[in-house]
């Protein structure tokens, strides 16, 4: 971390600041330029609040030099993390998986869809029982009954299930039911009580990037979970909000190699939410695999026009079947196949 | 709501779609153009999911024509809402209030700061006891002890207190303690379980706009609270995230007249978070009043350099004192003074 | 195009508006809803200014229903355009090409780099002679001497050359010299005099998306060129500006399938500018091919650390050589090879 | 400027880098931290290309510490610049002016509008003769005849005129005609040949911020003009592009105090383009004055519904008349009146 001071900062004030920094256990390096004084803070700066530093009179600006995350940082953990999602399915570190299923659990059609996605090559099953909906008047999901249906399907097909938890009060129920992977949605990307609550478990977490979340903030949210003791975090790029309106979100695939560079955590990509249109899901799923994603999450529905939510972005089982073939071929080009640790 | 169909949509499919819409209790108007067919949905479209409509084969695109919010909509409630914040303080509909205090409740300095802001003309007291912090390693606030200190100060000075609630499990405690106004922070702008929970009370809510939240989403979040029975919502513009990095956020003051046009709810502006720098708080506080804000929320600290959080954007009591004079003079130009209902 | 009127618009005013629209040669369809009146404008709306319509008292909002571009629109030109770039190189409609070379033409190293990229499989040569630089104090390129060096290399290697034109006064020189493809940079994406000037030629144009340019605006810029008589336009996704700062831009690969859906023009992707870091160019080049790009533009330099500009994002010839193998394998999965029209 | 090196950069490479920097005439300060090495570059870094530095193997990231602009920088020019716009009208450094008139010069109505805005208190007259239009099919302005009408009106009313120049080839004509202030529009904010061309004159320039332009880029564009010898630059905030669609742009009023802090150049605000709706122009004009703008540019038309362009955001002369009263009262609160240098 460096602090840029105004060039006419009095020596006394600079000395006072230096003492304050040393009092926090850090070293101080000072460079005097023609137009400003630069103070380098050397040591563990994760405990220094840059905002606080910036509030001092003589400080013009503060810039971070190293990342604010530690447990999620590849610098301190060079090897890729591999997450055990249950039912023998590993994700990350060379293990590539496709999570598929309907946006919402709606009833008996779940098992039909699940069989199709498994047959096509998906290894994990998704489905929402608790749905974050922009409108209070829209369907909020089946709740507990939805969890039961999902877990039944997972059990019958021997697939780990992935489903969203929105409320810290529901985490215990998810654990009781035996949910394999808890998903944190984009709207809860900085819901700190919820992050802490899933951090207290050892269940794998699929953590989605917020709509205005930077890569650093996504990794800091992972750090929240990990700081509570749960190392089993997979992050997920699902599109960010920009000025472009032709697609629902802007799919930031740059985040895939960038996160691989910065962190050891696996990264999953969600082309369904990132595009919002069935017709773009295929090309962008292929692109995400080519960019190096460790997994994909794709919405599949056997009757999209009557789906409870997000029908516009679901593939039919036939479309998914075709797509899987391409995905596996592209994956074999960008990464050597790995089927066991 | 209108649906734009592909021009070669078969008559049968258009008829099928029309029946489906009529089945939802709406009327259908069809215009056939040279390059597309436009289907107008007339009636209460708040229950129609545009995404679902868009998932149909023949539908190219769906556009909303009317706002998706009802209770927050000025069309159905033409008069400004006036919120009774307790201690005789009204906000909205001509009543202008300034909320001031430290970012975090830190201890004994609270009452000192509170006395100064009251003397300067602030009518409501702010202070965070539970703090949403980007880093898990940063101070998370004093918690319950902080609430007690804040309420003591409010009681001594006969001022309503405003403080953030982050966790639905804490709402009962906030009610027990007698918090006057519950603040929902930007990171929880779409934390639906939390919005529902505060919606079940009758305590006024100060609802902040999310960092990537549109004006419509802010009003939909208000609708969540109102749909549970609590009409006492004040929305707050606190800056949005854009590409500009010279200031912490981009203060979207356009939102003030836009929300006044769309909704009857009062709108408060927070120049402290919207700029992130003490030196910009004064000019932007003046601007927010000139733009027609019904209230301001401003951070004040008597020793910003040692504040627990956000010191960089706090004013000193002396600065606040000066600023209040300008704010009231500008307010008197843009709106006639109103001191009772 | 539809105009949403306020619900209490007087009949007379609605009639007046309808007459005005009919006077422009369009038909009018009116739907009266409970809360608003919707006026559909049916016919060729490209000549109607939505802003003008919106300025009328009774008009609440105007929404486009069909795209404002015609010549670039796939609706009126269903088959993919194939651009003849010279030297027998076709791009689009199944023909995939890689454009490679240094960011700037610097001198004798150009021919060395050109030989390497050709050997690796690139079919077109890039190099800037006139450089748009954010700082007036940075090198502005070799100018005419750079064009000569570039064209010499193109001639020796029988490759079409691509180079940026920034000033309408330079177009004649580019034509005289025989530049094969004129590139319009992101900063000139709405430089209308320049677009018109290249539109008056028949030389192929590689048109980059502006940093804040929507997909529609990119296609409208293409329309500008085409409206002057030049149909040889290739558009280029090179990253847009968002709040994310870990990469230089956000690579909007969604634009690739979206533009293929909306337009018949070929789309090229530029992973070098879209990421700004050598280490991300490879993964994102692979992703762009997988997303369906018709071509790629990649910066290659044999001594990136001493390049005149943008060294940080250049690949070495060896890296490029490796990458080309992957790109062609991925291309063969997403599209059948096509070597002649 | 600082360069952050990877922690395991070999001493030899660090020494090599240091020599290279010293060779550019700068000093080098090195701080070795636990996880990285920080190299401070001390001296005139405006000539160092951070991108080039970043391309070196051992360099992880480069951060600017001081601003890349010099002539526009307040550090080297502490006093406010005052621009003499002709006809005795000064802007900046305490002199506040309102520029008003129609978006486009359309004909005889210009002089009628001009008389009204002058009577209301406007001191400068605006009107576009050359119009940048998103669609090639929209009206492109009256051209030279429009300039003549505008200058006639300016002459009759003894007001300086402000009008946009889009093409470097037109600058000579603007000078010949005697245009008082040349406006550079948002789409040309990085049209470097045009910036250089107006920089070669001594005519005042009103330089608009680009739609995706940062504050630093706006000041760098001013630097382009100034580096050619023209110090008479006024910058203009006219809204930036964000995800919000309820208003045409997001009016970044934070830029006003931020630019006053960073630069000595005057800043004008344009609430007409920044909002795009007549109904929001008044509140946001008031806000811009309260934020400290040195001037405003406001569109006024006596028949907005029939204006050639941007009618939706024009005020009528009566509305403008009312507004001017508020603006002057707010101005008197935020800055002492100044009527002579």
């Amino acid at each position: 971390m460096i602090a840029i001071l105004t060039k006419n900062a009095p020596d006394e004030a600079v000395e006072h600041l230096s003492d304050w920094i040393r009092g926090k256990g850090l070293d101080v390096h000072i460079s005097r330029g023609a137009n400003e004084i630069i103070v380098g803070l050397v040591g563990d700066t994760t405990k220094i609040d840059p905002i606080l530093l910036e509030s001092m009179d003589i400080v013009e600006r503060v810039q971070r030099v190293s990342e604010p995350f530690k447990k999620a940082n590849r610098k301190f953990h060079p090897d890729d993390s591999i997450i055990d999602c249950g039912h023998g399915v590993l994700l990350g570190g060379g293990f590539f998986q496709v999570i598929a299923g309907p946006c919402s659990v709606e009833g008996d059609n779940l098992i039909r869809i699940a069989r199709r996605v498994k047959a096509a090559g998906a290894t994990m099953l998704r489905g929402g029982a608790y749905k974050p909906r922009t409108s209070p008047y829209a369907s909020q999901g089946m709740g507990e009954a939805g969890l039961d249906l999902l877990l039944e399907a997972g059990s019958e097909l021997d697939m780990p299930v992935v489903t969203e938890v929105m409320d810290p009060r529901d985490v215990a129920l998810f654990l009781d039911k035996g949910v394999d992977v808890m998903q944190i949605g984009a709207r809860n990307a900085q819901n700190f009580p919820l992050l802490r609550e899933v951090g207290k478990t050892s269940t794998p977490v699929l953590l989605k990037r917020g709509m205005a979340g930077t890569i650093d903030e996504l990794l800091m949210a992972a750090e929240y979970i990990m700081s509570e003791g749960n190392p089993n975090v997979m992050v997920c790029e699902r599109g960010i909000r920009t000025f472009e309106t032709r697609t629902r979100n802007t799919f930031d695939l740059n985040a895939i190699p960038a996160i691989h560079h910065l962190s050891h955590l696996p990264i999953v990509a969600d082309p369904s939410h990132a595009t919002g249109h069935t017709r773009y899901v295929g090309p962008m799923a292929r692109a995400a695999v080519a960019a190096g994603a460790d997994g994909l999450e794709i919405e599949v529905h056997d009757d999209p026009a009557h789906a409870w939510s997000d029908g516009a972005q679901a593939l039919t089982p036939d479309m998914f079947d075709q797509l899987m073939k391409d995905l596996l071929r592209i994956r074999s080009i960008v990464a050597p196949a790995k089927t066991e640790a």
Side-chain angles (χ1 to χ4, degrees), chain A:
Chain A
M1 189 178 291
I2 60 161
I4 298 125
L5 311 189
T6 51
K7 74 170 165 181
N8 40 23
D11 287 354
E12 199 182 270
V14 179
E15 199 43 51
H16 180 80
L17 173 65
S18 304
D19 286 346
W20 182 85
I21 297 167
R22 284 189 205 101
K24 301 275 180 183
L26 291 107
D27 280 341
V28 175
H29 285 225
I30 297 181
S31 309
R32 286 176 186 273
N35 303 310
E36 62 269 311
I37 303 166
I38 302 176
V39 177
L41 286 75
V42 185
D44 177 8
T45 56
T46 55
K47 280 158 196 158
I48 298 276
D49 186 349
I51 300 290
L52 174 56
L53 212 51
E54 228 168 52
S55 71
M56 301 182 186
D57 267 5
I58 57 169
V59 179
E60 182 82 356
R61 206 144 41 103
V62 174
Q63 296 180 345
R64 274 204 179 280
V65 161
S66 49
E67 300 79 23
F69 43 92
K70 294 169 81 168
K71 291 179 191 292
N73 198 326
R74 189 179 283 277
K75 277 186 192 156
F76 310 121
H77 186 308
D79 293 334
D80 287 344
S81 280
I82 297 174
I83 309 300
D84 182 345
C85 298
H87 294 265
V89 174
L90 305 178
L91 193 153
F95 295 96
F96 173 77
Q97 309 296 345
V98 176
I99 307 163
C103 184
S104 303
V105 177
E106 298 163 14
D108 294 342
N109 56 347
L110 176 69
I111 186 69
R112 284 203 312 271
I113 300 170
R115 284 182 195 128
R116 291 293 310 270
V117 301
K118 173 155 189 174
T123 47
M124 298 170 77
L125 179 65
R126 65 149 289 149
Y130 297 84
K131 300 296 304 173
R133 303 299 304 274
T134 310
S135 167
Y137 309 119
S139 149
Q140 312 283 319
M142 289 184 74
E144 192 172 341
L147 286 188
D148 288 335
L149 279 173
L150 186 67
L151 284 156
E152 249 171 65
S155 166
E156 178 184 324
L157 299 169
D158 191 23
M159 294 171 91
V161 302
V162 181
T163 192
E164 179 166 352
V165 62
M166 291 166 59
D167 191 324
R169 295 169 295 193
D170 292 338
V171 172
L173 177 70
F174 277 58
L175 293 182
D176 277 357
K177 296 278 180 188
V179 166
D180 300 285
V181 177
M182 287 187 286
Q183 179 168 303
I184 304 283
R187 293 177 179 80
N188 288 312
Q190 293 194 314
N191 180 338
F192 302 124
L194 180 62
L195 296 176
R196 286 198 183 282
E197 203 69 30
V198 301
K200 288 175 189 153
T201 76
S202 59
T203 302
V205 177
L206 181 62
L207 174 66
K208 296 209 158 185
R209 183 179 182 180
M211 263 183 284
T214 61
I215 290 171
D216 280 56
E217 284 173 343
L218 174 57
L219 293 173
M220 280 308 282
E223 187 86 8
Y224 250 95
I225 298 170
M226 298 170 89
S227 74
E228 293 289 332
N230 186 350
N232 300 310
V233 181
M234 300 166 280
V235 297
C236 181
E237 164 60 34
R238 45 76 72 201
I240 58 174
R241 183 167 277 177
T242 69
F243 58 82
E244 179 57 60
T245 57
R246 276 278 171 195
T247 51
R248 191 184 309 180
N249 291 293
T250 295
F251 203 6
D252 181 13
L253 291 179
N254 281 352
I256 295 175
I259 287 174
H260 278 155
H261 179 70
L262 294 167
S263 177
H264 52 90
L265 298 176
I267 175 158
V268 170
D270 172 352
S272 304
H273 285 89
T275 62
H277 293 276
T278 298
R279 74 172 87 97
Y280 303 142
V281 172
M284 299 315 292
R286 290 183 198 101
V289 174
D294 298 296
L296 291 186
E297 184 169 29
I298 297 178
E299 289 187 6
V300 177
H301 199 283
D302 56 356
D303 187 6
H306 293 90
W308 282 18
S309 60
D310 284 350
Q313 67 200 26
L315 301 184
T316 61
D318 286 349
M319 294 163 83
F320 181 69
D321 207 55
Q322 278 302 311
L323 177 61
M324 277 300 296
K325 291 179 178 57
D326 280 2
L327 299 183
L328 297 176
R329 291 168 70 198
I330 294 173
R331 175 69 186 175
S332 74
I333 292 171
V334 300
K338 199 165 178 182
T339 50
E340 51 186 69

